[in-house]
């Protein structure tokens, strides 16, 4: 589903030295948000900070609470609709990067990495289990937040550990069950905790087999989704649970086509 950033009551612009002391020198004022979303729409953030480490993320969250600033987190910017009036608070962009091959069948990934790069990295290490994510625009953290999935797979299926920043600004590591994953859902939508890093347990197999499956999925996506460079919120319709259907769900796209509304806007 589309996340909506709500415009909050106007607050006075704080002094620059106070902002730098609280958030560091990478704090920005009046940041244009449209380029950071797949829709390419929306106004500016009063304050904006991109965090590239666990410590920076903790500092941003604690700083916002200390200054009583409303804050909102963004990742890859897909499925995100921002008001043209902007956001009267702090936008925190989770930009923790990095891949590690930590065991023969496990990889560790920063929450700010793109899903396409995650699939590419896993393929390069001959690790299978994430092919269904090929072609999905968004970040790893955002995908975990919404339990992204396609073609019968969900990102929660491959997770084995998640590093979070809790509401008190503490870093903790949890198992997938903690996130109470559901269909395009997780407890993160309710508790406000932040994904900073995750570990995936995958299956070691032949690189060529994985690459072939990735190519098949990308080809299927080409016929169903807007091309690269076209402004889109991505696929945000939820399918209907139905055990008689492939992957246990009746495709919302099929219903839209049958209703004759596919070309409407």
């Amino acid at each position: 589903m589309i996340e909506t950033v709500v415009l909050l009551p106007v607050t006075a612009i704080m002094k620059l030295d106070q902002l730098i002391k609280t958030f560091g020198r990478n704090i920005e004022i009046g940041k244009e948000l449209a380029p950071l979303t797949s829709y390419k729409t929306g106004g500016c953030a009063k304050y904006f900070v991109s965090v590239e480490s666990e410590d920076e993320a903790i500092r941003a969250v604690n700083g916002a609470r200390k200054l009583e600033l409303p804050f909102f987190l963004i990742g890859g910017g897909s499925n995100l609709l921002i008001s043209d009036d902007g956001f009267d608070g702090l936008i925190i962009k989770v930009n923790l990067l990095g891949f590690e091959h930590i065991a023969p069948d496990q990889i560790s990934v920063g929450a700010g990495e793109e899903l396409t790069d995650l699939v590419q990295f896993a393929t390069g290490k001959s690790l299978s289990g994430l092919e269904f994510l090929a072609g999905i625009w968004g970040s790893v953290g955002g995908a975990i937040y919404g339990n992204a999935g396609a073609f019968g797979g969900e990102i929660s299926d491959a997770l084995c550990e998640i590093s979070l920043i809790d509401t008190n600004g503490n870093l903790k590591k949890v198992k997938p069950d903690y996130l109470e994953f559901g269909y395009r859902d997780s407890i993160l939508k309710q508790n406000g905790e932040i994904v900073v890093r995750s570990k995936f347990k995958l299956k070691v197999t032949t690189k060529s087999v994985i690459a072939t499956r990735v190519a098949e999925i990308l080809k299927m996506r080409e016929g169903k989704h807007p091309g690269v460079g076209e402004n889109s919120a991505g696929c945000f319709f939820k399918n209907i649970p139905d055990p008689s259907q492939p992957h246990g769900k009746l495709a919302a796209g099929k219903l839209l086509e049958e209703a004759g509304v596919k070309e409407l806007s």
Side-chain angles (χ1 to χ4, degrees):
M1 295 188 297
I2 297 180
E3 297 283 345
T4 303
V5 177
V6 179
L7 185 67
L8 295 164
V10 175
T11 56
I13 294 288
M14 296 181 180
K15 292 182 179 179
L16 182 58
D17 59 348
Q18 183 183 18
L19 291 170
I20 292 175
K21 182 179 179 180
T22 304
F23 300 108
R25 293 193 173 275
N26 60 341
I27 186 72
E28 299 181 56
I29 299 175
K31 175 76 171 184
E32 187 180 0
L33 297 175
L36 303 179
T37 73
S38 57
Y39 257 154
K40 304 302 180 188
T41 61
C44 297
K46 176 171 281 188
Y47 309 116
F48 177 92
V49 65
S50 177
V51 296
E52 300 179 358
S53 69
E54 288 90 345
D55 288 343
E56 288 183 1
I58 291 171
R59 180 179 184 179
V61 171
N62 288 343
R65 292 200 171 97
K66 178 182 178 181
L67 299 179
E68 298 183 343
L69 276 176
F71 66 91
F72 188 89
L73 277 80
I74 65 172
S78 58
N79 288 13
L80 183 64
L81 182 61
I82 297 176
S83 167
D84 286 340
D85 293 327
F87 184 69
D88 189 31
L90 174 69
I91 293 290
I92 302 173
K93 179 171 174 56
V94 180
N95 200 32
L96 286 85
L97 305 178
F99 293 100
E100 291 183 69
H101 191 190
I102 57 176
D105 62 347
Q106 292 185 31
I107 56 177
S108 175
V109 186
E113 291 287 359
E114 295 293 324
L115 292 173
T116 51
D117 293 332
L118 170 59
V119 173
Q120 184 177 10
F121 181 82
T123 302
K125 298 299 180 182
S126 300
L127 294 174
S128 175
L130 297 172
E131 294 89 329
F132 65 90
L133 294 171
I136 297 178
W137 185 17
S139 68
V140 173
I144 294 172
Y145 174 88
N147 194 17
F151 305 108
E154 294 179 327
I155 198 167
S156 57
D157 297 336
L159 282 168
C160 61
E161 184 179 272
I162 307 95
S163 296
L164 302 171
I165 295 173
D166 66 20
T167 53
N168 295 316
N170 299 313
L171 182 66
K172 65 182 182 182
K173 296 180 180 180
V174 301
K175 297 300 181 183
D177 288 350
Y178 175 84
L179 273 66
E180 299 181 18
F181 285 112
Y183 175 48
R184 304 298 176 265
D185 193 25
S186 78
I187 195 66
L188 298 172
K189 292 187 176 184
Q190 302 174 39
N191 65 17
E193 295 182 334
I194 304 166
V195 178
V196 289
R197 196 160 192 88
S198 56
K199 293 181 182 179
F200 294 90
K201 185 176 178 61
L202 305 169
K203 181 181 179 181
V204 179
T205 187
T206 307
K207 187 181 301 183
S208 60
V209 171
I210 303 172
T212 297
R213 179 56 179 161
V214 169
E216 291 173 351
I217 289 175
L218 290 174
K219 186 174 181 179
M220 285 190 284
R221 286 192 172 280
E222 286 177 5
K224 296 180 179 181
H225 299 280
V228 176
E230 297 186 47
N231 298 341
S232 167
C235 181
F236 56 83
F237 289 104
K238 294 182 74 172
N239 298 325
I240 311 300
D242 184 343
S244 69
Q245 298 295 318
H247 309 307
K249 295 182 180 67
L250 175 60
K254 182 176 185 293
L255 298 178
L256 291 169
E257 287 188 11
E258 291 177 352
V261 299
K262 185 177 179 180
E263 301 300 325
L264 297 181
S265 62

